[in-house]
Amino acid sequence: MVLYRKYRPQKIAEIDNPEVREKLEKILSSGRPPHAFLFSGPKGTGKTSSARIIAKSLNCEKNNGKGEPCNRCSTCLSITNGTNLDILEIDAASNRGIDEIRDLRDKIRLAPAGARKKIYIIDEVHMLTTEAFNALLKTLEEPPEHALFVLCTTNAEKLPETIVSRCRQIDFKKAGISDLLQSLKRAKRGEEREIDEKALEQIAQLADGSYRDAHKLLEEVLTAYPRAKITDEMVQKVLGEKKIGGNLFGWIPTHDAKQGLEMIGLMAEKGVDFKFLNQTILETLHAHLLKKYGLTQENFPYQEPLENLEISDLKILINLFSKAGQELKNTSIPELPLEMAVVEWCGGQEKAGPAKAEFPQPIVEMSSPEPKPSPQIKVSGDNQQISEIETRWEEILTAVKPYNHSVAGLLRSCQPGAYDGETLVLNVFYKFHYERLSETKIRELLEKVIEELFGKKIKVFPKLKEKEVL
């Protein structure tokens, strides 16, 4: 069993987020829970785990439906094992149509098979269609006494206000380092492994506020070293150096934006954690800066392309990637902050070489040379039609990824621009991305995936849009 599932919280007191824990303690001990919860927040912050704890608390045979579940009675055990017929989990990303919600609405009136309450946990609820939302709303307005909903979402802003207003909303923020360490130490004790505090701290830093990601990273390290005591050097080797490799810095002295962006695209294809990549770049730049003052570190991470840079160059690069590190905490496009650092260095320096001319600044809006978008495309767009694409954009990215990880990464830097039901214009903000997405084979791949999702042929045209380089 994967560590995140094995050591996920099983009772209220084990919920690592203190704010969520305190709110649920008060609500569940009162004996008067709302008929619907809305859990909103980033991935991996404990929304689904907390929903299952609610299900156990309200149905536990020992606590009379109030407070902590016992985790020993047959009902608690069946919920923990995922076999309880009255606890239904629905993935809205896969079951987003009106038929599924209508089926839910028809069956919700039936009494529970054995539990005290029927609990409906709907994950990624923002992915439901407008018609499905309307059907769900009718159920939320008049739910039977024996039913309770827990709606979970990473994009609460996409939910209709009519849905939000009928739920008790609880925000799940990104986990702090101390909360992540608490969760990791629970797994450490359970696995009976020796792990240095610094190693756990490094994993917590790389997890970017996600309990799930923290446990995945820990599991990767433990698997690589099944019997050894885990040190921070081991963490760095498994999670960073092994995957990164290659020439990270060759584009810097030549100000070659294309090479720099290709490097980041390659890292995305390898599945490198961008926070770790950025940290590696900063540590190397820092070491070379100290060397300029005669301070050489042990295990100095020497990089020949950085050898002849001036101190002023290193300072600029450190500032750029420090800024990227801050932006990585909030961006939904992990590679974008690093790409912007590359663009700023290559396109914004007075002494840039010939490569600078290949990446003009600012990039001007132009139409695709292969082929040109039809003049019948509605550039202003139809709000309802473009909303259909925007709502399912994450689903499109997920569907593209198995075919081509690199293309999925490129699409995360794009936005749906205009859509008239037959033709989709993609707004692309980087020349390198635009050139790749204009390739016939890539456009055909996108059109194939979109046809599978939407059930009809939709032509895709990239458009390079003007974007000020910060």
Side-chain angles (χ1 to χ4, degrees), residues 220-239:
E220 190 172 346
V221 175
L222 293 179
T223 301
Y225 298 98
R227 287 174 291 277
K229 178 180 179 180
I230 304 300
T231 66
D232 56 334
E233 289 84 3
M234 291 176 178
V235 172
Q236 187 173 1
K237 185 171 183 63
V238 173
L239 302 182

Side-chain angles (χ1 to χ4, degrees), residues 6 10 28 40 43 45 68 113 141 157 181 187 189 213 218 226 293 297 309 344-345 357 369 416-417 434 439 470:
K6 188 175 181 180
Q10 297 297 334
L28 296 176
S40 59
K43 66 178 181 67
T45 51
E68 287 281 23
E141 286 175 337
E157 65 277 4
L181 285 173
R189 290 191 297 270
D213 288 353
L218 175 60
Y293 293 95
Q297 299 173 321
L309 291 182
E344 288 188 56
W345 169 255
Y434 168 75
E439 294 175 13
L470 302 175

Side-chain angles (χ1 to χ4, degrees), residues 12-31:
I12 305 170
E14 292 178 354
I15 295 175
D16 295 297
N17 186 316
E19 294 181 8
V20 172
R21 183 174 63 244
E22 291 170 8
K23 288 179 181 178
L24 289 182
E25 281 177 346
K26 291 179 181 178
I27 294 171
L28 296 176
S29 63
S30 71

Side-chain angles (χ1 to χ4, degrees), residues 171-418:
D171 293 326
F172 286 68
K173 299 177 182 178
K174 283 189 175 183
I177 297 299
S178 60
D179 298 330
L180 288 168
L181 285 173
Q182 177 178 311
S183 183
L184 289 170
K185 287 176 181 178
R186 186 163 60 242
K188 171 187 171 180
R189 290 191 297 270
E191 295 300 298
E192 298 181 344
R193 292 294 301 272
E194 285 190 87
I195 308 174
D196 285 347
E197 187 75 12
K198 286 186 177 180
L200 290 176
E201 289 175 357
Q202 190 170 29
I203 292 173
Q205 290 283 352
L206 293 172
D208 193 26
S210 169
Y211 296 107
R212 183 188 299 126
D213 288 353
H215 283 264
K216 285 181 178 178
L217 294 172
L218 175 60
E219 185 169 16
E220 190 172 346
V221 175
L222 293 179
T223 301
Y225 298 98
R227 287 174 291 277
K229 178 180 179 180
I230 304 300
T231 66
D232 56 334
E233 289 84 3
M234 291 176 178
V235 172
Q236 187 173 1
K237 185 171 183 63
V238 173
L239 302 182
E241 294 174 358
K242 180 181 69 174
K243 290 183 178 178
I244 293 175
N247 186 359
L248 293 182
F249 304 95
W251 55 275
I252 289 179
T254 58
H255 294 265
D256 189 337
K258 184 176 181 180
Q259 184 183 350
L261 293 173
E262 284 177 337
M263 177 272 292
I264 293 173
L266 177 62
M267 295 301 105
E269 195 168 348
K270 285 184 175 183
V272 169
D273 184 286
F274 280 99
K275 191 169 184 179
F276 194 94
L277 173 61
N278 193 70
Q279 180 180 321
T280 300
I281 292 172
L282 275 174
E283 288 176 352
T284 306
L285 292 168
H286 175 233
H288 277 267
L289 178 65
L290 293 180
K291 184 175 182 291
K292 294 291 183 181
Y293 293 95
L295 302 172
T296 304
Q297 299 173 321
E298 186 178 353
N299 299 321
F300 174 63
Y302 176 75
Q303 291 289 334
E304 185 176 354
L306 304 179
E307 180 65 26
N308 295 321
L309 291 182
E310 302 291 336
I311 290 175
S312 58
D313 293 328
L314 290 168
K315 287 170 63 179
I316 291 171
L317 286 163
I318 288 171
N319 284 332
L320 287 174
F321 284 98
S322 294
K323 177 184 174 185
Q326 290 298 315
E327 292 173 349
L328 275 169
K329 297 176 181 178
N330 301 310
T331 184
S332 59
I333 307 174
E335 59 267 43
L336 184 56
L338 277 75
E339 289 173 333
M340 290 304 297
V342 170
V343 170
E344 288 188 56
W345 169 255
C346 297
Q349 305 302 313
E350 293 180 2
K351 62 179 182 179
K356 181 179 177 181
E358 297 175 9
F359 205 93
Q361 183 187 39
I363 300 169
V364 296
E365 179 176 348
M366 62 178 72
S367 57
S368 169
E370 183 206 352
K372 286 188 176 182
S374 166
Q376 281 75 39
I377 297 175
K378 298 178 183 178
V379 178
S380 61
D382 179 283
N383 287 340
Q384 186 172 353
Q385 288 179 313
I386 195 65
S387 176
E388 181 183 4
I389 297 292
E390 291 172 343
T391 300
R392 301 186 67 178
W393 186 241
E394 190 65 32
E395 185 181 356
I396 293 172
L397 299 184
T398 301
V400 169
K401 194 171 183 180
Y403 291 98
N404 192 312
H405 286 262
S406 180
V407 173
L410 294 178
L411 289 175
R412 289 193 176 277
S413 299
C414 305
Q415 293 176 350

